[in-house]
Amino acid sequence: MNTHKHISRRSVLGGAALLAGFAAAGLTGCSASGSGGAAQKSGGLTIMSKGGEIKKEVIDAWVAEHPDVPITLIEDDPTRLNAMLAAGTPPDVVRSLGATSTANIASRGLALDLDPYVSKSTVLKDGELAKINDVWRWDGTRQGEGARFGLVKDWSQDAMFWYNTEAFAAAGVPLPTADKPFTYDQLLEYAALMTKRSAGKVDQYGLFTTAPTIEAISSMLATSGARAFNDDLTKVDFTSPEAMRALQWHVDVAKAKVGYTLADPNPDGWDWPPFDAKRIAMAAAGYWFGGAVAGNPKTAEFARLAPAPMMGTERVSPSTSATGHWISAKSNMKDEAFAFLEWYVAGDQAKTRAQSGWGLPAVTSLTSELPQSQPYQAEALAVQKNEEQYLQIMSFSPYAQATAVSAAVANLFPRAVDGSLSTAQFADQATTAVNELLKQGMELAGKKG
């Protein structure tokens, strides 16, 4: 998981823009059959996604089978998406992180209810959809319940991490096992043992990249049976004992200088380059990281997957991304858009992706395609299979993008690290800042803040 991307300046602007989109797009729900407001299309599907995922060969394969439905791919861009939504000309299909975006896009009436389509599908059997797809459900107050507003393409449990067995052995650190995850306190302790410096420079950090994002904090709180948001998702509270403990852990990591943090950002933007180069002993990533490991046989010798660490006593291992796609409620090509999703998440393209190890498939029938020929692949799959029993869907507020919430917390973080703020003051001010964001979002949504 690239934590720093979640709190970049672009993310802040994008998050704020999407929050403002409440007013632009309105909250009127749209029926499954769709209605007015759709832009006239000259033909073909417009898909906003990442060119590295829906590559030219993927588009060519689709067009070969569906010559009457060409695809125009627009690179994933939150700012451009908001502009298209405001103009009433949204893409037909949009890539999003279902874990953090479903409540927002469903509440704003942007996304099509897919239940009528799934119920009629001969390709996507409801019983074969992996449980993770419920992340895309929203009933108006709770995520994981109600109508389905999107489908996962590939997924992982994002609080898990990969580790370098050689670095652990050199430091005398015990290896995590599938049935006995580390605690966050152990991570900090062990990371200190594996952090190496010479000539005033860091040769190896012990820990993966960390940042106090709302996803990271929520994942930690879940293991204590606690939540950051209140029941109706209108307010947040970082002053609870559990939330303050999570914030304190992030501050302690930054002060200990045992991994990349907001105070010492990862120059690569994500953990693969330094992990591959043995500059960090752990990498924050779920099962999907195995796709990257497959690219370097030397790294495959020492890379292993670990279960999600625990702050409390309850094992919870959420997905904070559940990346997938939703269909615009204003699309005038809803049937074609759903046909593309069927083809992409359950057809040959999905089979190929599953075989690559770049994530778990959206349908259980493709689980047998996951790679197991290499020792690291077989061990990772065994850890992953055990971990799935701890998968839990967390609810994020529809009134502010997760990126904006995380940015509000991140803005205060440096002062907590340098001692300008106590952890209690950090928690109190972060609570105030985020609740102001949520209040603005509620007002834009026509609700009393």
Side-chain angles (χ1 to χ4, degrees):
M1 177 174 60
N2 182 354
T3 50
H4 287 144
K5 284 185 178 178
H6 287 243
I7 51 178
S8 65
R9 180 175 181 274
R10 187 179 185 185
S11 295
V12 174
L13 295 175
L18 283 170
L19 186 151
F22 270 115
L27 279 167
T28 304
C30 297
S31 69
S33 59
S35 59
Q40 294 299 311
K41 303 287 180 69
S42 58
L45 289 172
T46 301
I47 299 177
M48 177 172 280
S49 190
K50 291 189 177 298
E53 296 174 356
I54 300 181
K55 300 179 181 178
K56 182 178 182 302
E57 52 263 37
V58 175
I59 295 174
D60 289 346
W62 163 265
V63 174
E65 296 178 32
H66 308 82
D68 297 332
V69 190
I71 289 175
T72 298
L73 182 69
I74 300 174
E75 187 63 26
D76 186 25
D77 184 339
T79 302
R80 183 173 181 181
L81 173 61
N82 194 52
M84 296 177 76
L85 291 169
T89 56
D92 298 294
V93 178
V94 183
R95 178 190 190 274
S96 284
L97 306 184
T100 54
S101 68
T102 296
N104 187 282
I105 60 173
S107 294
R108 293 163 61 191
L110 302 178
L112 180 69
D113 177 0
L114 298 184
D115 278 342
Y117 292 86
V118 173
S119 66
K120 296 177 182 178
S121 176
T122 58
V123 177
L124 289 174
K125 305 294 185 184
D126 196 51
E128 291 185 1
L129 286 172
K131 178 184 176 183
I132 189 65
N133 284 284
D134 287 346
V135 164
W136 287 88
R137 291 187 180 276
W138 174 251
D139 68 359
T141 58
R142 187 177 179 84
Q143 198 164 343
E145 306 287 343
R148 186 190 308 278
F149 291 96
L151 291 169
V152 167
K153 66 173 191 70
D154 313 297
W155 66 284
S156 294
Q157 287 167 270
D158 300 303
M160 300 174 76
F161 65 94
W162 289 72
Y163 61 97
N164 181 331
T165 55
E166 297 173 359
F168 273 58
V173 175
L175 302 180
T177 61
D179 61 347
K180 191 174 182 181
F182 285 163
T183 67
Y184 279 93
D185 288 340
Q186 286 175 319
L187 280 177
L188 181 53
E189 175 189 349
Y190 297 155
L193 296 174
M194 290 186 283
T195 298
K196 299 178 180 178
R197 295 180 173 84
S198 62
K201 295 183 178 179
V202 176
D203 298 321
Q204 174 183 279
Y205 272 138
L207 191 59
F208 46 76
T209 301
T210 61
T213 63
I214 186 61
E215 297 97 320
I217 294 170
S218 295
S219 297
M220 297 174 77
L221 295 186
T223 67
S224 293
R227 297 169 47 185
F229 292 104
N230 62 356
D231 288 343
D232 61 5
L233 308 175
T234 58
K235 290 185 178 180
V236 75
D237 182 10
F238 295 121
T239 66
S240 69
E242 296 86 359
M244 286 184 59
R245 186 179 173 191
L247 293 176
Q248 183 66 60
W249 184 83
H250 282 88
V251 171
D252 290 344
V253 168
K255 287 183 175 179
K257 299 180 180 179
V258 294
Y260 291 118
T261 66
L262 296 180
D264 179 18
N266 183 340
D268 296 296
W270 66 310
D271 277 357
W272 169 250
F275 184 76
D276 186 43
K278 298 184 179 181
R279 289 189 282 113
I280 57 177
M282 296 184 240
Y287 178 86
W288 67 270
F289 203 69
V293 174
N296 188 341
K298 292 184 177 179
T299 300
E301 292 177 1
F302 64 73
R304 294 295 185 271
L305 179 62
M310 301 171 63
M311 186 179 75
T313 59
E314 179 182 351
R315 286 195 68 173
V316 175
S317 185
S319 174
T320 55
S321 51
T323 305
H325 297 86
W326 51 278
I327 297 173
S328 169
K330 289 190 173 183
S331 170
N332 60 3
M333 301 189 70
K334 296 180 178 66
D335 291 347
E336 293 85 353
F338 186 75
F340 174 79
L341 291 189
E342 288 179 314
W343 180 85
Y344 190 63
V345 306
D348 289 343
Q349 295 298 321
K351 180 179 179 181
T352 299
R353 294 198 306 276
Q355 291 170 341
S356 75
W358 283 97
L360 301 160
V363 292
T364 57
S365 57
L366 292 178
T367 301
S368 60
E369 301 293 337
L370 293 169
Q372 303 183 58
S373 61
Q374 301 297 316
Y376 86 91
Q377 293 171 330
E379 291 183 34
L381 187 56
V383 173
Q384 174 58 45
K385 285 183 176 179
N386 185 68
E387 192 77 354
E388 284 189 35
Q389 62 185 304
Y390 306 110
L391 176 65
Q392 186 179 103
I393 296 173
M394 300 188 298
S395 290
F396 292 89
S397 176
Y399 303 113
Q401 287 285 299
T403 48
V405 172
S406 296
V409 178
N411 286 339
L412 296 163
F413 186 72
R415 295 167 60 198
V417 175
D418 69 20
S420 300
L421 293 177
S422 67
T423 301
Q425 290 171 322
F426 177 30
D428 186 61
Q429 292 187 27
T431 298
T432 299
V434 173
N435 282 335
E436 179 59 30
L437 275 178
L438 295 171
K439 179 182 177 183
Q440 293 174 20
M442 292 176 64
E443 290 173 351
L444 288 168
K447 295 180 179 294
K448 186 176 181 180

